[in-house]
Amino acid sequence: MSKGLPKRSEDYSLWYNELVKRAGLAENSGVRGCMVIKPYGYAIWEKMQRVLDDMFKKTGHSNAYFPLFIPKSMFEAEEKNAEGFAKECAVVTHYRLQNDPDNKGKLRVDPEARLEEELVVRPTSEAIIWSTYKNWIQSYRDLPLLINQWANVVRWEMRTRLFLRTAEFLWQEGHTAHATAEEAVAETVQMLNVYADFAENYLALPVVKGVKTPNERFAGALDTYCIEGLMQDGKALQAGTSHFLGQNFAQAFDVKFTNKEGKLEHVWGTSWGVSTRLMGALVMAHSDDEGLVLPPKLAPIQVVFVPIFRKDEELAQISEKVAELKQKLEAKGISVKYDDRDTERPGFKFAEWELKGVPVRVAIGPRDLENGTAEVARRDTKEKQSLQLEGLENTLENLLHDIQENIYNKALQFRQENTVKVDSYEEFKRVLDEKPGFVLAHWDGTPETEERIKEETKATIRCIALDTPEEAGVDMVTGKPSSRRVYFARAY
Amino acid sequence: MSKGLPKRSEDYSLWYNELVKRAGLAENSGVRGCMVIKPYGYAIWEKMQRVLDDMFKKTGHSNAYFPLFIPKSMFEAEEKNAEGFAKECAVVTHYRLQNDPDNKGKLRVDPEARLEEELVVRPTSEAIIWSTYKNWIQSYRDLPLLINQWANVVRWEMRTRLFLRTAEFLWQEGHTAHATAEEAVAETVQMLNVYADFAENYLALPVVKGVKTPNERFAGALDTYCIEGLMQDGKALQAGTSHFLGQNFAQAFDVKFTNKEGKLEHVWGTSWGVSTRLMGALVMAHSDDEGLVLPPKLAPIQVVFVPIFRKDEELAQISEKVAELKQKLEAKGISVKYDDRDTERPGFKFAEWELKGVPVRVAIGPRDLENGTAEVARRDTKEKQSLQLEGLENTLENLLHDIQENIYNKALQFRQENTVKVDSYEEFKRVLDEKPGFVLAHWDGTPETEERIKEETKATIRCIALDTPEEAGVDMVTGKPSSRRVYFARAY
């Protein structure tokens, strides 16, 4: 089944692409830059959505839905945001097709159905949402306004990769409005922490929490906070961002409120989002040359049973036992698949579920039944052991916890081994080429130096970590003073 | 709060629009024909989604996601479908905006960023999905393929109404592929039954299950099944459709499979969908002049507690009791809101929760606490009663069941009272004007007669009900023979 999956060590990029396709997560579509998210991939995304949505609701947010289209004049209202996204947006200009008089059976755009004003397909929804908030907010009593949207967005990327960079992608975007700058910043940081919590406890991906440099800020934000993870090839991946928008959008869309003193003020805003890009992070962080390695908390199937049998009556006995075990496991909220296909051999099934990253595989044959045992294989370490059927639901529940923890710890160890402090530019370049990962280096704080390093090494400043201690030093390139190290890496 | 809500008897259409806006369900946006679904409205939609999604999964379907855009050449492949939607589709022609040299600070479409091939924003996804299925289906072992998608779609409607008809709307669309016509028809009917089950048991809306006439079929289908509900103004509303596509899309996109005998055949298809239109049905079917009347199973808040107090210490005592009751109710899966705002009076709160259709309101004052009782008001009948606090969680659980049932029965009774058999065209017209509803009449089976009736009376054939008995008769207009009655109505 996994036969021919390229090896990570030989071609990481090809390995990733092939794995995403063969494991049934996603594939390219007949539409340039757009992907099809296949059922197995979508099932993982649904699990992510459910967990995140619960987290958003627990922190007081409600979901709503705003239009897909943004009229051009509305789009351009916040200038920096418009400038940032104008270069990559899909534009609707017509609202009708007609029969093409020159080509029987073909259609063409009806030249008479040109829109008076072009519509931008949302690359992000600040403009349409803030133009709506203007009517929702009058008084301090209307604040904070805490809203989230699950939606599709479109950014016309020229070079796309499944999940990591696609013209259309699915995401959630939170958009909140507050009475004070302090409250807005607190919200920005709260949502960054929600994302970090999700990344570490569900994706099993340790992340660095930090702030972007001005160069890397969201267009229209005063500050962009982010979480950054490290993939197995030593490249960083930005897994979520949370923006403090200041009063930029409130000013652009004239959103004011009467404060408790009766004075009219512009409100303060935030926005924050994670996308189907997380699917890419999930694959890249943990999977191996045999296929996906899914953290149990996000695996659509957590335990797969494979019967080992020759005769139909053996299968019947095994099936009966599995039905019983399945019920007990499901009562604990564990999702179970019984693969009793008679068209495939056990070895094929093993490989298939390995490819699909099912955390635990249980094989049961006639001798196991006699002994009251089963052969249990964990996907992450590939260890096998014989376990008692009696109380198996408890053993497996614990095993799933262990696997979740182990996957996280492995990723954490990898990150620790691939995060180095560097003090000279020469060493910096050598590390990036020989043992890429996070490089902690001093930076003089100027966009020019950042730009130069990016051009010369393809490494960018991923973030200024929130927990970095102050440390006197000098910029490795310019020799100018620096008060703390920042995270550099090549990145997705 | 509900002050000034128009009355149904005076202007049903205005009542609907105002209610949708004031109850916080949705509003018009700054984008022509597109609405904003507000948090309270979206919370109801989320409940609908959850229930439907579970039903789809129980019947073996998986979710997936396909691109928003459909290249023109792909869109036109199934001719009837293309013809049906070409007149109302949004078309993306460019992928970039640039600074407008003639207007500082403004943007314009970059003439050099014209797409080689225009992209249609999906009005429905058969084309993109069947072009994908071509690669997913080779053998009978790949069938049936049972997939659903939750998505936004765009149909450029000229006259729009919140939820009922909007340029962009949210929906789910199932797309399945089968080895035989029989299996595809069985799937079509199964999903019709799922929709009817949902409408009756969750929306509390009795529906007629039937088949559309050829005139009203989905473009590209061989048969369209539908469920039709009756609104309080006597107009019908199509609440869901399920299409038997035959081999139309399989032929258009060359989707073939090798059957068990090794022969290559085109597969058979279905598609089926319900949309945010259901929100309109929910409002129109049950609500009254004071506001929404929500069936408990879809109400985001099922029970609201309102404290009646003068002094802070009274509030404290009430709050303590409510916290205890809330916990017991939530343990039963009942969603509870405690409205302890000190900025509004009880009367204002009562009116607000009435407007929002919360099924049960519980008012508790100091004297109630002394007596161990509370004043419980049900939204549907407006009856109030004093109930014991002891065991209130059980009483309210039963009450919510009663309310769900009562709302359904009321709608059923309304439909029964407004469904009449008519044998002459004169009576037909009189009924439509004087006491509109479903009119069961004989029809000669021709599109011409159907068209004439539509032009002369604005009534359409809603469906040929699946359970209509055979009955010899004559068409009320042409006098030609007919073997059974069909459902006519004016419709949304």
Side-chain angles (χ1 to χ4, degrees), chain A residues 65-69 122 149 151-152, chain B residues 29 31-37 68 121-122 151-157 160 163 165-171 276:
Chain A
Y65 188 78
F66 297 85
L68 169 68
F69 298 132
R122 62 181 165 216
Q149 164 171 279
N152 53 343
Chain B
S29 76
V31 191
R32 210 203 62 84
C34 295
M35 67 180 161
V36 172
I37 306 180
L68 169 68
V121 181
R122 63 182 164 215
N152 53 344
V153 286
V154 172
R155 297 177 186 175
W156 206 263
E157 302 279 358
T160 60
F163 289 124
R165 197 172 293 278
T166 48
E168 181 193 13
F169 56 92
L170 304 184
W171 79 345
T276 35

Side-chain angles (χ1 to χ4, degrees), chain B residues 366-385:
Chain B
R367 187 162 303 168
D368 293 306
L369 275 191
E370 275 172 35
N371 299 338
T373 59
E375 188 201 67
V376 175
R378 51 190 283 181
R379 177 65 184 88
D380 60 336
T381 60
K382 289 170 202 151
E383 287 163 349
K384 288 184 206 169
Q385 52 184 326

